[in-house]
Amino acid sequence: MTDTLFTRALARLDEAAEHIDVCAEVIERLRHPKAIIAVSIPLRMDDGSLRIFDGYRVQHSDLLGPGKGGLRFHPDVDLEELEALALWMSCKCALMELPYGGAKGGIAVNPKKLSMMELERLSRGFIRRIADFIGPGADIPAPDVYTNARIMGWMMDEYSEVVRQRTPGAFTGKPVALGGSQGRSGATGYGGYVCVRELARRREWTAKNTTVAVQGFGNVGQEAARLLYEDGYRVVAVSDSGGGIYDPQGLEIPALIRGKNRGNKLKHMYCDHSVGDEQPDARRISNARLLELEVDILIPAALEDVITEDNAEQVNARVVVELANGPTTFEADRILEQRDIMVIPDILANAGGVTVSYYEWVQNRSGDYWTAEEVRERLDARMCGQFNTVLDLAAEKTLSPRMAAYVLVLKRLGAAVDAMGTGEFFSRE
Ligand code: NAD
């Protein structure tokens, strides 16, 4: 079998299967995505020319419910990456005990090079192409890298036009005015914050003596950094695609967020400013150097594969909290484990977003809308519960938190496979 991000993601499940008595059919089902949809999307540009973009949706599994997962707009989007991301969504939903399978999709495009109207037409055109395959009981997309609430609103509106029914439950992460949930935009960052808070409680660390570095200063990285800053943690470094800044005394996070979000392209859709443009006194550092800082907690919150076998030996954090999807490669994971650096895995650490997406879907389908406090209370309780379940299992079985999380995933998916009947069941007389 060729070595891809997907096969490497599967290898982790194979490894987890060694620690639990689970039917081989579970892993076999996870090896094969349920459906892979590839479309081409014609886009009339503002200057009258025509461009065609490739769009995809991978529906990995519907064992526990309809597909769930983000849509990203990025030049590097390809099927191999989406297959792995969709598999991780199946795992994440199972781990968080959400009634969903996993999916992921996107368009290979640099959205920063489009006008606002081109972006809207492309978003709507993509939905017209995939409308037959998605929906509240089939597959529910959400925002991901370089997509956001406004784009989800356009997509929900287009889907509703196609099916001739207002269908807010077909997308999550929408603007609140279009049926979005209170608390969705900051939910992934909040979930990451709960993981850090619980970890600090278990290790008896005090906030003011705990240093944090955050790579990626978008939706997720900003919110996690802001909440940790407000709790008194010393956030000493943050970065974005334009580079980063470092101040061992701690950075003024709210000011950085204001500065970063001030200079926007496409009228507040994508940031033009880098965090490095602010606080001229703070020392600028590269993204590579940020990963090597001596800190208590390192939070990768940008893209996948940033901690690799080439730099894992240089990571100097005590704990890595993966808010990005797949930031640590398989090989790097082994190196970090050997070096006794704990990794809180992505399928747990960044599960706050999909959890509130689930709350949004429940609200859309019931028509009963919750307050921000209610959403946050439920999110806090679920994140806190699953975080401690994973860490308790890891301690009990001497596993890494990642392996413990995958063991729980296999147990929960295994129960669904068992309930439908395995080979052992059907071969009984
Ligand atoms: P975003 O587009 O809002 O922000 C991404 C950030 O990463 C930006 O600050 C960008 O400048 C930075 N970045 C891009 N390339 C970089 C590079 N090479 N080095 C350093 N920084 C770089 O995206 P987001 O929603 O914050 O998502 C970030 C990560 O979190 C992604 O891996 C995404 O899959 C994951 N995630 C997001 C959610 C969510 O609810 N948004 C949920 C789960 C996981």
Side-chain angles (χ1 to χ4, degrees):
M1 197 182 249
T2 41
D3 180 41
T4 63
L5 199 55
F6 182 65
T7 58
R8 276 175 269 149
L10 281 170
R12 281 188 173 142
L13 285 163
D14 284 330
E15 201 182 332
E18 290 166 19
H19 301 285
I20 181 179
D21 182 18
V22 65
C23 171
E25 283 185 21
V26 179
I27 301 272
E28 192 49 28
R29 290 185 71 137
L30 296 176
R31 274 187 212 295
H32 305 277
K34 178 194 161 201
I36 297 176
I37 299 139
V39 297
S40 60
I41 314 150
L43 177 66
R44 184 65 59 193
M45 308 299 285
D46 291 345
D47 66 4
S49 64
L50 178 73
R51 284 185 64 191
I52 312 278
F53 292 90
D54 292 324
Y56 309 97
R57 186 72 180 167
V58 174
Q59 296 170 342
H60 174 260
S61 156
D62 60 358
L63 266 174
L64 296 178
K68 188 85 195 81
L71 286 177
R72 58 174 59 179
F73 287 177
H74 194 278
D76 298 340
V77 160
D78 66 30
L79 268 178
E80 182 200 317
E81 176 193 59
L82 292 175
E83 279 181 349
L85 290 163
L87 166 64
W88 286 326
M89 283 307 298
S90 299
C91 296
K92 197 183 299 182
C93 293
L95 180 66
M96 296 308 288
E97 299 189 290
L98 304 176
Y100 289 138
K104 204 81 169 190
I107 304 178
V109 60
N110 182 352
K112 296 183 182 181
K113 297 223 162 121
L114 300 181
S115 74
M116 191 72 106
M117 298 227 291
E118 288 166 345
L119 189 66
E120 185 195 5
R121 289 198 292 274
L122 183 68
S123 304
R124 288 180 181 275
F126 182 40
I127 294 314
R128 286 195 296 278
R129 286 289 202 250
I130 64 168
D132 287 342
F133 306 100
I134 60 173
D139 178 5
I140 308 120
D144 197 78
V145 176
Y146 294 152
T147 56
N148 57 21
R150 188 182 296 274
I151 293 173
M152 292 306 115
W154 291 333
M155 290 180 165
M156 183 277 289
D157 186 56
E158 192 63 31
Y159 179 81
S160 299
E161 288 288 332
V162 172
V163 302
R164 295 269 176 250
Q165 289 241 328
R166 192 68 176 173
T167 318
F171 290 84
T172 60
K174 303 178 294 293
V176 172
L178 296 176
S181 177
Q182 299 287 348
R184 171 62 182 86
S185 61
T188 305
Y190 188 84
Y193 156 77
V194 172
C195 292
V196 174
R197 187 192 71 199
E198 287 303 297
L199 180 81
R201 188 183 59 75
R202 292 174 77 104
R203 293 200 167 187
E204 300 182 351
W205 290 353
T206 56
K208 75 175 167 44
N209 292 325
T210 306
T211 52
V212 184
V214 182
Q215 186 195 52
F217 207 53
N219 172 328
V220 173
Q222 285 184 19
E223 185 66 2
R226 186 182 70 78
L227 290 162
L228 291 169
Y229 169 88
E230 281 176 3
D231 256 15
Y233 287 84
R234 204 145 39 96
V235 184
V236 296
V238 297
S239 68
D240 56 28
S241 55
I245 52 173
Y246 171 59
D247 184 341
Q249 300 311 313
L251 297 163
E252 187 65 30
I253 297 299
L256 285 175
I257 293 175
R258 279 195 302 277
K260 161 110 181 145
N261 296 339
R262 205 166 44 223
N264 283 344
K265 259 187 188 164
L266 284 179
K267 297 195 188 80
H268 309 292
M269 291 292 279
Y270 298 110
C271 286
D272 203 8
H273 273 197
S274 165
V275 281
D277 298 339
E278 304 295 326
Q279 291 206 351
D281 292 336
R283 283 161 43 196
R284 290 189 181 225
I285 49 163
S286 65
N287 266 296
R289 175 79 187 100
L290 181 142
L291 298 173
E292 299 169 0
L293 290 175
E294 199 172 314
V295 285
D296 296 304
I297 296 168
L298 171 64
I299 302 183
L303 298 174
E304 54 268 17
D305 286 355
V306 291
I307 304 179
T308 66
E309 60 187 328
D310 296 331
N311 64 2
E313 289 289 354
Q314 281 78 52
V315 170
N316 270 309
R318 293 158 84 181
V319 180
V320 175
V321 179
E322 296 183 328
L323 289 199
N325 283 309
T328 312
T329 66
F330 197 61
E331 299 77 18
D333 214 23
R334 294 224 183 286
I335 298 172
L336 296 183
E337 200 173 345
Q338 279 156 13
R339 297 185 55 220
D340 219 13
I341 296 174
M342 178 185 268
V343 179
I344 306 300
D346 47 4
I347 60 167
L348 173 64
N350 70 27
V354 71
T355 302
V356 176
S357 272
Y358 164 59
Y359 298 157
E360 182 175 335
W361 179 77
V362 169
Q363 292 171 76
N364 290 153
R365 304 194 96 191
S366 68
D368 177 25
Y369 285 83
W370 309 343
T371 62
E373 292 69 35
E374 197 172 349
V375 170
R376 187 144 285 197
E377 245 169 58
R378 288 181 190 243
L379 172 62
D380 200 303
R382 195 177 283 246
M383 283 302 306
C384 192
Q386 296 300 348
F387 178 87
N388 285 300
T389 301
V390 169
L391 264 77
D392 287 347
L393 182 69
E396 183 196 321
K397 302 225 179 231
T398 329
L399 296 172
S400 68
R402 192 187 312 277
M403 250 331 108
Y406 279 117
V407 165
L408 288 167
V409 165
L410 288 180
K411 189 171 157 202
R412 290 166 188 169
L413 289 170
V417 169
D418 264 350
M420 283 191 284
T422 59
E424 195 190 334
F425 170 83
F426 285 109
S427 57
R428 258 187 246 144
E429 280 308 309

